[in-house]
Amino acid sequence: MVSFSQQTYAARGEAHSHPVAKELFAIMERKQSNLSLAADVSTKSELLALADKVGPYICVLKTHIDVISDFDQDLVAQLQALAAKHDFLIFEDRKFADIGNTVKLQYGGGVYRIADWAHITNCHVIPGEGIIQGLAEVGVPKGRGLLLLAEMSSKGMLATGAYTDKNVEMAVRNEFVIGFIGSKRFTEERDLITMTPGVGLHAAGDALGQQYRTPELIVTENGSDIIIVGRGIYGAGKDPVVEAKRYRDAGWAAYLNRLGKQ
Amino acid sequence: MVSFSQQTYAARGEAHSHPVAKELFAIMERKQSNLSLAADVSTKSELLALADKVGPYICVLKTHIDVISDFDQDLVAQLQALAAKHDFLIFEDRKFADIGNTVKLQYGGGVYRIADWAHITNCHVIPGEGIIQGLAEVGVPKGRGLLLLAEMSSKGMLATGAYTDKNVEMAVRNEFVIGFIGSKRFTEERDLITMTPGVGLHAAGDALGQQYRTPELIVTENGSDIIIVGRGIYGAGKDPVVEAKRYRDAGWAAYLNRLGKQ
């Protein structure tokens, strides 16, 4: 069998059984983008302005809804409208990390009602497989998808070795899981999508342990599918549209290189 | 040196350098309670009613603020008033699990502004030690304390062995950390408080992997300091005041047994 990494996003979308994965691959192909924006701003107006500006160049908008100081339901409605206008999915990077009974309440309820609007969310499996089951009880009926945090991009992170392997095992046997946060393709047992944070065109880091890798390393060599870029696009002194185009082009070129088309 | 488990809460409070740990031990001694209520209800009125009823019997109110569907700033004000009225601390069980730069924003900002009202919060160290540094930048100036999730109570959880050991090492060297979520005393290197979830007077579990252990096992034998009880107190058909008294008495008796006083 040809590795999933050697197949086009279009072919993988056609073959995929999960509605969110199917839609995501279709968007990637339509927009020729494997770029996700990590929109870590702290007000509603900043988030909406950024999503509207960068929206045309991304396949996924990654949010931390709980850092928005003036969150309200209108923000959700406007984000959904922008997702429709610019053709992207919304990924709430909640990093659920509690027992099944609690994450059910956190995912479906509270002020945010994440399951009502986020096409994708993610979780750590450190509480055991019950966390996936709890989230699935809420997310499956709403047609949502889940990513597991098989690895992280920060210095000294402990998601390695046997822990990463457990993530892969759980992902393979839980249909609700559409992929991973991690640095590479992890398995050929089924088509699980890898999204990689900590991607930068120039290697560097921040003072709190974040580390950066290039699109070529992540997509071409490691076989990851989507690059997640934050401060590289909207950091101080940057033009988000210019940077988003650069990252979109770099991510897509890395994908074409992987396919041997360039 | 005498193990911290063999010292009274009063003596440990007097000797402790961290203001939150000091206050917590003093409350435990005053109220003769090592009971924390896990208040996993989903509305403001339920949370306030439960905290007011059970408040006299607990040392810590453990919240999941993000499951409250009608959260507002008035809830925070009322919770703080109840904490003063009944003499307990508030522990927001947020289980932060992201890189340092993100948890700073999540802890200090957003709609919840957790650092403004929660005396205690907690985190997984899976992103590496940067998560503690990020949280400390927000919490230390506000006089808050942090627990590390060294272990969990759910079935198949992956916080074990070398992972637990890493938690202990990080706790010992970070002053902001006042203790652990776990099942036992982990170290004598400094006085770190262990709080244990999944405690029940009758061993059982739920359908999503939660497992229960008795106060005697946790406090007397394992040397943990605080028992966290949720559905055992306010579950269907239970009188929360009756159950809170029972758990407070059972937890305190287990502590006295540990000291050899009974």
Side-chain angles (χ1 to χ4, degrees):
Chain A
M1 203 187 91
V2 180
S3 163
F4 291 112
S5 303
Q6 292 300 309
Q7 300 176 32
T8 64
Y9 294 140
R12 289 167 64 188
E14 278 162 32
H16 215 290
S17 59
H18 195 294
V20 172
K22 221 175 172 62
E23 192 178 351
L24 177 52
F25 280 129
I27 290 171
M28 292 164 76
E29 195 66 42
R30 274 198 295 274
K31 297 176 78 171
Q32 304 216 334
S33 173
N34 53 13
L35 173 63
S36 170
L37 173 71
D40 297 342
V41 291
S42 57
T43 63
K44 182 177 162 180
S45 61
E46 285 173 289
L47 177 56
L48 290 170
L50 190 57
D52 198 21
K53 262 189 208 161
V54 174
Y57 313 106
I58 62 176
C59 57
V60 171
L61 177 72
K62 185 173 87 62
T63 56
H64 282 297
I65 205 70
D66 62 347
V67 310
I68 307 295
S69 56
D70 53 350
F71 168 88
D72 58 14
Q73 285 303 320
D74 176 63
L75 171 58
V76 169
Q78 290 206 50
L79 279 178
Q80 290 177 309
L82 288 173
K85 174 182 171 190
H86 293 303
D87 196 22
F88 60 73
L89 298 187
I90 305 174
F91 163 25
E92 167 56 21
D93 185 7
R94 174 56 177 77
K95 293 186 172 68
F96 288 105
D98 214 313
I99 64 173
N101 187 61
T102 299
V103 296
K104 266 175 67 175
L105 301 171
Q106 292 174 321
Y107 184 30
V111 169
Y112 297 130
R113 306 185 68 82
I114 293 167
D116 283 354
W117 51 268
H119 304 91
I120 301 167
T121 192
N122 59 355
C123 76
H124 289 288
V125 300
I126 198 153
E129 204 156 345
I131 190 171
I132 301 176
Q133 293 154 5
L135 292 169
E137 285 186 15
V138 175
V140 168
K142 293 181 192 283
R144 303 312 185 190
L146 180 69
L147 302 176
L148 304 185
L149 283 139
E151 294 176 335
M152 296 185 74
S153 54
S154 44
K155 190 178 164 192
M157 65 90 184
L158 304 176
T160 56
Y163 182 85
T164 301
D165 296 344
K166 285 271 186 189
N167 275 265
V168 177
E169 289 166 25
M170 290 185 204
V172 167
R173 66 180 170 241
N174 284 279
E175 288 288 318
F176 181 45
V177 178
I178 62 166
F180 306 100
I181 296 295
S183 66
K184 59 175 192 281
R185 167 153 287 277
F186 292 102
T187 179
E188 297 290 337
E189 283 194 66
R190 65 185 189 90
D191 190 1
L192 292 153
I193 300 163
T194 299
M195 302 194 191
T196 307
V199 174
L201 290 171
H202 310 287
D206 73 10
L208 291 170
Q210 178 66 304
Q211 305 172 117
Y212 296 106
R213 286 119 353 141
T214 63
E216 292 69 28
L217 174 66
I218 292 305
V219 176
T220 312
E221 292 178 39
N222 291 2
S224 173
D225 297 305
I226 291 176
I227 58 172
I228 303 174
V229 183
R231 288 169 274 175
I233 289 178
Y234 63 82
K238 293 184 192 291
D239 178 332
V241 171
V242 171
E243 297 300 330
K245 282 183 186 170
R246 282 178 69 206
Y247 275 97
R248 191 232 5 217
D249 292 347
W252 198 256
Y255 158 70
L256 294 180
N257 274 341
R258 178 168 97 193
L259 294 177
K261 283 193 179 167
Q262 199 171 274
Chain B
M1 203 188 90
V2 180
S3 163
F4 291 111
S5 303
Q6 292 299 307
Q7 302 176 30
T8 64
Y9 295 139
R12 290 167 64 188
E14 279 160 30
H16 215 289
S17 61
H18 195 293
V20 172
K22 219 173 174 64
E23 192 179 353
L24 178 52
F25 280 127
I27 291 171
M28 290 164 77
E29 196 67 41
R30 274 198 295 276
K31 297 177 77 171
Q32 305 218 332
S33 173
N34 54 14
L35 173 63
S36 170
L37 172 71
D40 297 342
V41 292
S42 57
T43 63
K44 181 177 163 181
S45 61
E46 286 173 287
L47 177 56
L48 291 170
L50 189 58
D52 198 21
K53 262 190 209 162
V54 173
Y57 314 107
I58 62 176
C59 57
V60 172
L61 178 72
K62 185 173 86 63
T63 55
H64 281 298
I65 206 68
D66 62 347
V67 309
I68 308 296
S69 57
D70 52 351
F71 168 88
D72 58 15
Q73 285 303 319
D74 176 64
L75 172 59
V76 169
Q78 290 206 51
L79 278 179
Q80 289 178 310
L82 288 173
K85 174 182 171 189
H86 294 304
D87 196 22
F88 59 73
L89 298 186
I90 304 173
F91 163 26
E92 167 57 21
D93 186 8
R94 174 56 175 76
K95 293 187 173 68
F96 288 105
D98 214 313
I99 64 174
N101 186 62
T102 300
V103 296
K104 269 176 66 175
L105 302 172
Q106 292 175 321
Y107 184 30
V111 170
Y112 296 130
R113 305 185 68 82
I114 293 168
D116 282 353
W117 52 267
H119 304 93
I120 301 166
T121 192
N122 59 355
C123 76
H124 289 287
V125 299
I126 200 152
E129 204 157 346
I131 190 171
I132 301 177
Q133 294 155 6
L135 292 169
E137 285 187 16
V138 175
V140 168
K142 293 180 191 284
R144 304 309 184 191
L146 180 69
L147 302 175
L148 303 186
L149 284 139
E151 292 176 336
M152 296 186 76
S153 54
S154 44
K155 191 179 163 192
M157 64 92 186
L158 304 176
T160 57
Y163 181 84
T164 301
D165 297 343
K166 285 271 187 190
N167 276 264
V168 177
E169 290 166 27
M170 291 186 202
V172 167
R173 66 179 171 241
N174 284 278
E175 288 289 316
F176 181 46
V177 178
I178 62 167
F180 305 101
I181 296 295
S183 66
K184 59 175 190 280
R185 167 152 287 278
F186 292 102
T187 180
E188 298 290 337
E189 284 194 65
R190 66 185 189 91
D191 190 2
L192 292 154
I193 300 163
T194 299
M195 302 194 191
T196 308
V199 174
L201 290 170
H202 310 288
D206 74 8
L208 292 169
Q210 177 66 305
Q211 306 173 116
Y212 295 107
R213 288 124 345 149
T214 65
E216 292 70 29
L217 173 67
I218 292 305
V219 177
T220 312
E221 293 178 39
N222 290 3
S224 174
D225 298 304
I226 291 175
I227 57 172
I228 302 174
V229 183
R231 288 170 273 177
I233 289 178
Y234 64 83
K238 292 184 192 290
D239 178 334
V241 170
V242 171
E243 297 300 331
K245 284 183 187 171
R246 284 178 68 205
Y247 275 97
R248 186 218 28 200
D249 292 348
W252 198 255
Y255 159 69
L256 294 179
N257 274 341
R258 178 167 95 191
L259 295 177
K261 284 191 176 167
Q262 200 171 275

